């Protein structure tokens, strides 16, 4: 294999406008080409980003012997199919979040990765920002005492029309789009899997039939006594925050999931004492994730997050979806 990991990109998604320049910026990778369902779109994207190769189908890119690894930025419901096809074609895979639509699908991916000996990483890029290293350091130093509450908000407005988020068949809806971050960060901070959960949702007609969640409020109760409360939505004003509260204090991060290349602060609060503002250097989390992945492939080192973690995240999302779709009535409410 060449010294640099040679990337190919599947799909001309909106997100690739951020992720292609980031992969090009990695010290140990280069982006060789992009594939689209149409040759014309692939050509336009290749030209715009200065990529040497454009492919008029995803299959054509997978057949290229020049490509070592693919970055998949397709609608969520297509991840499973294209991850399996990529692995069958001998390519390592970095796939956008969520890795797949269920724990069972993640299990299929895991079995194929084992069988082929290839690497697969779920692309939760936010985990690679130094903000989270700092947060973990503070938690390890017992900055909040007994972890009691996590509050996570992640909302934005996807607009109407044809957005993939409004198609059930493409794996749309708020829970699997932005809600997956809320679940992921809660599991990461507690380093536990939730024992109990509850969720409530708001729905609209999907563009392809059925009802799709526009927003979800959820609660996850962890065995250690911490409760995560989150809200997420794809038809709301943009909000993006994480608050971790315990018996000794509180940590607060603004914009934990967004691309934050400028320096930022992590707030530490202790019962009326002066707030400590920890300065965190700016970084492009896509670049750091790409470099970590390429290092793992090129040097055979383990990935920081495994496929069991992806399956566990999906399992919680599935349970939240089921809970939100069957809300429990308040049995003490007076009947009118
Ligand atoms: N990490 C992040 O910050 C972040 C942010 C946003 C989204 N995401 C994730 O990235 C992925 C893409 O999201 P996006 O919003 O960027 O998607 P998008 O702009 O709607 O693009 C999806 C791409 O998938 C391809 N595609 C294949 N079959 C399709 C179909 N039946 N309908 C529509 N598109 C189809 C299209 O590429 P071609 O036409 O070229 O084949 C299209 O450009 C999702 O998994 C999402 O969760 C991650």
């Amino acid at each position: 294999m060449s010294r640099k990991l040679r990337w190919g990109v599947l799909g001309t998604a909106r997100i690739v406008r951020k992720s292609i320049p980031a992969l090009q910026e990695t010290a140990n990778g280069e982006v060789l080409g992009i594939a689209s369902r149409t040759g014309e779109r692939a050509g336009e994207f290749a030209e715009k980003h200065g990529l040497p190769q454009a492919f008029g189908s995803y299959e054509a890119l997978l057949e290229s012997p020049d490509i070592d690894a693919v970055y998949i930025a397709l609608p969520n419901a297509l991840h499973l199919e294209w991850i399996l096809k990529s692995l069958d074609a001998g390519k390592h895979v970095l796939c956008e979040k969520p890795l797949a639509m269920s724990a069972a699908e993640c299990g299929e991916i895991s079995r194929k990765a084992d069988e082929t000996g290839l690497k697969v990483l779920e692309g939760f890029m936010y985990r690679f920002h130094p903000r989270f290293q700092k947060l973990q350091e503070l938690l390890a130093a017992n900055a909040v005492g007994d972890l009691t509450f996590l509050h996570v908000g992640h909302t934005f407005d996807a607009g109407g029309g044809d957005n993939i988020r409004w198609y059930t068949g493409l794996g749309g809806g708020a829970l699997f789009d932005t809600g997956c971050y809320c679940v992921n960060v809660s599991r990461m901070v507690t380093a536990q899997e939730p024992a109990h959960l509850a969720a409530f949702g708001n729905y609209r007609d999907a563009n392809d039939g059925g009802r799709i969640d526009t927003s979800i409020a959820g609660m996850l109760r962890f065995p250690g006594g911490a409760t995560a409360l989150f809200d997420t939505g794809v038809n709301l004003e943009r909000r993006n925050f994480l608050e971790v509260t315990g018996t000794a204090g509180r940590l607060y991060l603004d914009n934990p999931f967004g691309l934050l290349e400028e320096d930022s602060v992590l707030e530490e609060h202790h019962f009326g004492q002066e707030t400590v503002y920890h300065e965190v250097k700016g970084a492009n989390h896509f670049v750091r994730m790409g470099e970590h992945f390429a290092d793992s492939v090129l040097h055979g080192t383990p990935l920081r997050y495994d496929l069991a973690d992806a399956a566990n995240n999906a399992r919680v999302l599935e349970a939240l979806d089921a809970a939100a779709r069957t809300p429990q009535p308040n049995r003490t409410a007076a009947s009118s």
Side-chain angles (χ1 to χ4, degrees):
M1 185 175 290
S2 61
R3 205 175 47 82
K4 284 191 170 191
L5 191 73
R6 299 167 304 176
W7 291 95
V9 176
L10 294 190
T12 56
R14 263 172 290 244
I15 189 63
V16 307
R17 289 180 226 152
K18 288 182 185 168
S19 41
I20 289 180
L23 290 176
Q24 287 172 319
E25 204 183 311
T26 56
N28 53 1
E30 56 186 324
V31 186
L32 280 200
I34 186 161
S36 169
R37 290 168 298 170
T38 72
E40 197 185 341
R41 218 165 25 242
E44 280 167 21
F45 265 70
E47 193 182 331
K48 180 161 181 241
H49 292 283
L51 309 180
Q53 299 184 31
F55 300 87
S57 73
Y58 305 152
E59 286 88 351
L61 184 147
L62 294 183
E63 280 165 18
S64 165
D66 300 337
I67 301 225
D68 306 313
V70 292
Y71 163 68
I72 298 181
L74 301 175
N76 300 338
L78 303 188
H79 290 179
L80 174 70
E81 175 188 351
W82 288 100
I83 292 171
L84 295 180
K85 284 183 173 161
S86 302
L87 293 172
D88 275 332
K91 312 299 183 199
H92 301 276
V93 178
L94 171 61
C95 181
E96 267 301 340
K97 43 50 67 177
L99 187 74
M101 296 302 296
S102 68
E105 288 190 2
C106 293
E108 247 186 276
I109 293 166
S110 185
R111 282 190 292 282
K112 180 69 79 179
D114 286 347
E115 191 186 302
T116 55
L118 295 161
K119 306 265 181 187
V120 181
L121 179 65
E122 180 174 42
F124 274 119
M125 68 298 156
Y126 82 92
R127 302 184 287 200
F128 292 86
H129 196 281
R131 278 174 287 187
F132 282 90
Q133 262 158 277
K134 187 68 200 171
L135 185 84
Q136 300 283 27
E137 271 169 39
L138 291 168
L139 290 172
N142 208 26
V144 301
D146 296 338
L147 200 54
T148 310
F149 290 127
L150 280 94
H151 282 190
V152 195
H154 191 5
T155 57
F156 81 109
D157 183 13
D162 225 21
N163 196 293
I164 57 169
R165 286 154 190 84
W166 305 127
Y167 288 83
T168 310
L170 295 178
L175 187 60
F176 277 77
D177 188 50
T178 40
C180 64
Y181 287 93
C182 304
V183 170
N184 192 262
V185 78
S186 302
R187 294 177 44 256
M188 185 172 79
V189 167
T190 57
Q192 291 183 334
E193 298 304 328
H196 298 91
L197 55 79
F200 300 95
N202 297 303
Y203 298 84
R204 61 161 257 192
D205 288 339
N207 286 355
D208 55 349
R211 301 278 289 165
I212 201 147
D213 52 305
T214 54
S215 55
I216 296 276
M219 288 175 78
L220 305 173
R221 173 72 173 178
F222 292 90
T227 304
L229 302 101
F230 74 86
D231 66 76
T232 193
V234 289
N235 63 343
L236 299 171
E237 175 75 20
R238 185 175 287 275
R239 291 153 58 251
N240 186 338
F241 66 89
L242 169 67
E243 186 184 57
V244 181
T245 301
T247 51
R250 174 170 73 90
L251 302 173
Y252 182 82
L253 266 182
D254 189 35
N255 194 17
F257 309 120
L259 188 57
L260 194 58
E261 294 187 86
E262 61 275 25
D263 297 351
S264 62
V265 291
L266 192 164
E267 294 175 25
E268 181 177 357
H269 300 263
H270 291 283
F271 296 91
Q273 291 173 28
E274 205 169 315
T275 303
V276 182
Y277 295 96
H278 298 278
E279 285 187 22
V280 183
K281 275 259 156 270
N284 182 317
H285 49 209
F286 283 114
V287 174
R288 290 169 65 101
M289 178 172 69
E291 288 181 342
H292 172 71
F293 185 86
D295 253 353
S296 171
V297 171
L298 297 170
H299 306 298
T301 49
L303 287 167
R304 202 185 297 169
Y305 303 99
D306 63 16
L307 293 175
D309 178 69
N312 285 338
N313 213 61
R315 192 169 290 116
V316 177
L317 292 174
E318 284 180 85
L320 286 166
D321 183 53
R325 286 177 193 272
T326 51
Q328 297 303 302
N330 174 5
R331 296 187 198 287
T332 64
S335 55
S336 51

